[in-house]
Amino acid sequence: MDTKSFIQKRFSEFYREKASDIEAPRLIEQREFGFLLFKGNVMVRHKSFGTVEALRSFVKQIVPAHAYYSTAYYEAPEEKMENKGWLGADLYFDIDADHIPTECGKIHDRWKCKTCGFTGKGVTPETCPMCGGKTFENKTWPCEVCLESAKSEMVKLVDILVEEFGFSPDEVEVSFSGHRGYHVHVENEVVKELDSVARKEIVDYITGVGLEAALHGVGTRSHVTSSGSSGRGFDNIGWRGRISRGAYKVLSAATEEDLKNLGLKEKAVEKILSNKELILKTWERSGPWQPIGGLSKDALQAIINRAVQNESAKIDTVVTTDIHRLIRLPNSLHGKTGWLKVVFPTSEIERFDPLKNAVAFKKGEAKVYVDEAPRFRLGEELFGPFKHEKVELPMAAAVFLLCKGAAELVE
Ligand SMILES: [Zn+2]
Ligand SMILES: [Zn+2]
């Protein structure tokens, strides 16, 4: 049996037993469904289902590598795009390690330009630095450190949605994508009819795009007199408060190297470090708004810019502005890992362990030839690292390596 048929067989067994865990999205009859088949990588789109039973039996029957549904609601979801009759869409966010630069990403992630063949490590660029090409092949790894950093981006995002946009925690649903990230889903009548432009405004707010620190009073005293609200601003809701808290965090943790990395000259770094306690004390009283002893306006600006970078949430902006987006179906399998997309309450974010809670295959073993794989954990067990070797593994680990294309089945 070849590797692909083997994976499909495991997926098929899984769905025979667990397709009943697939739940209907709200207003199922208004949603479009799409499925990527194992065979020929064919996408079956424009499907619609009146009931969750019909959806489940379809999944059992075709055994897709990936299963999706639309964030959008349509009058006629099975029609061609132009005839569907768009009625609105949920607000959806995708946080993926692909968009978060991590140290380990430079080791385990690689990309190759499809136009000129130029290769690199870490986050895939938008355009190839050699030829300007825009399409890449990439090899990425869902490593634990990257998953943790995606999770902390999600925590920031949920916080912004609840504290600053005012959504109730019950309307904000979070999930693990089944690969390298997390999704945040808002179902609410107010957001339903927002168009792409309005959604782009939300994206810009969350990512801190176009945020001018000077307009928040940095380097001037004008905000104190014009807004009438003086003080440090730590408790302010919105970016003003986030800048205050973020700048304080940046400076309190800053080492000589960190400050140099902000582009500050040696002299400025020295001055800041020797005045650090004083600066922080002043900020505790009045916030990081005016340059004070040892801290020039430029240095302040650099710290604030870093604070904005740290406090914004790194979302995939395209997903949120696309009002026809297909998103992964909860409790379905991800074809690149054999892991589940899992929805969980926001109160569980801290405790959620994707490498345990999303494991689907819990029975049996399989023998595989691993080309190359870094050390990884599934549940409580550690595997690898492997390089050019034949190993017998528990089914979840074997299916994962096969799905990632890191191993092949041994007959
Ligand atoms: Zn290129
Ligand atoms: Zn990593």
Side-chain angles (χ1 to χ4, degrees), residues 161-206:
L161 291 172
V162 173
E163 298 298 329
E164 294 173 31
F165 283 84
F167 293 115
S168 128
D170 302 333
E171 308 171 292
V172 179
E173 184 186 86
V174 295
S175 55
F176 172 58
S177 73
H179 188 209
R180 299 230 300 161
Y182 290 90
H183 298 161
V184 176
H185 189 167
V186 181
E187 287 186 351
N188 169 305
E189 285 304 313
V190 176
V191 298
K192 194 174 163 187
E193 284 175 34
L194 296 179
D195 63 9
S196 290
V197 179
R199 287 168 204 251
K200 181 71 170 59
E201 290 288 333
I202 294 175
V203 164
D204 287 350
Y205 182 87
I206 288 164

Side-chain angles (χ1 to χ4, degrees), residues 113 115-118 128 130-133:
C113 171
T115 318
C116 75
F118 189 67
C128 170
M130 277 311 259
C131 74

Side-chain angles (χ1 to χ4, degrees), residues 108-275:
H108 57 64
D109 295 344
R110 287 169 214 175
W111 51 266
K112 182 177 179 186
C113 171
K114 279 192 184 171
T115 318
C116 75
F118 189 67
T119 59
K121 291 189 159 188
V123 174
T124 308
E126 264 176 43
T127 52
C128 170
M130 277 311 259
C131 74
K134 283 189 192 304
T135 49
F136 301 90
E137 261 169 47
N138 49 16
K139 258 198 174 160
T140 61
W141 191 257
C143 100
E144 200 156 358
V145 177
C146 288
L147 286 173
E148 259 318 297
S149 66
K151 196 197 241 187
S152 57
E153 294 303 318
M154 170 174 69
V155 170
K156 282 189 276 178
L157 172 60
V158 169
D159 191 60
I160 296 172
L161 291 172
V162 173
E163 298 298 329
E164 294 173 31
F165 283 84
F167 293 115
S168 128
D170 302 333
E171 308 171 292
V172 179
E173 184 186 86
V174 295
S175 55
F176 172 58
S177 73
H179 188 209
R180 299 230 300 161
Y182 290 90
H183 298 161
V184 176
H185 189 167
V186 181
E187 287 186 351
N188 169 305
E189 285 304 313
V190 176
V191 298
K192 194 174 163 187
E193 284 175 34
L194 296 179
D195 63 9
S196 290
V197 179
R199 287 168 204 251
K200 181 71 170 59
E201 290 288 333
I202 294 175
V203 164
D204 287 350
Y205 182 87
I206 288 164
T207 53
V209 161
L211 198 69
E212 284 285 346
L215 300 179
H216 285 262
V218 173
T220 70
R221 283 178 176 274
S222 59
H223 75 282
V224 179
T225 46
S226 63
S227 70
S229 72
S230 60
R232 56 188 189 165
F234 282 11
D235 309 324
N236 273 157
I237 289 172
W239 267 108
R240 196 171 138 73
R242 228 139 14 98
I243 287 176
S244 296
R245 297 187 298 270
Y248 191 89
K249 268 190 259 170
V250 170
L251 186 63
S252 8
T255 61
E256 192 179 335
E257 204 191 335
D258 293 336
L259 292 172
K260 279 184 188 159
N261 287 340
L262 291 180
L264 302 182
K265 298 237 164 61
E266 202 148 332
K267 257 207 169 139
V269 172
E270 248 171 63
K271 256 186 155 176
I272 292 173
L273 287 177
S274 56
N275 287 298

Side-chain angles (χ1 to χ4, degrees), residues 34-86:
F35 305 90
L36 194 76
L37 305 184
F38 280 99
K39 204 172 170 193
N41 261 348
V42 175
M43 183 77 170
V44 179
R45 279 197 72 160
H46 312 297
K47 297 293 293 179
S48 103
F49 300 96
T51 64
V52 69
E53 289 77 21
L55 166 64
R56 289 169 183 164
S57 64
F58 188 80
V59 169
K60 264 193 262 189
Q61 184 201 325
I62 61 156
V63 189
H66 301 272
Y68 307 98
Y69 75 97
S70 63
T71 54
Y73 304 88
Y74 299 108
E75 265 166 12
E78 70 287 354
E79 290 288 324
K80 278 193 229 151
M81 222 60 214
E82 57 272 28
N83 300 329
K84 279 189 193 315
W86 189 83

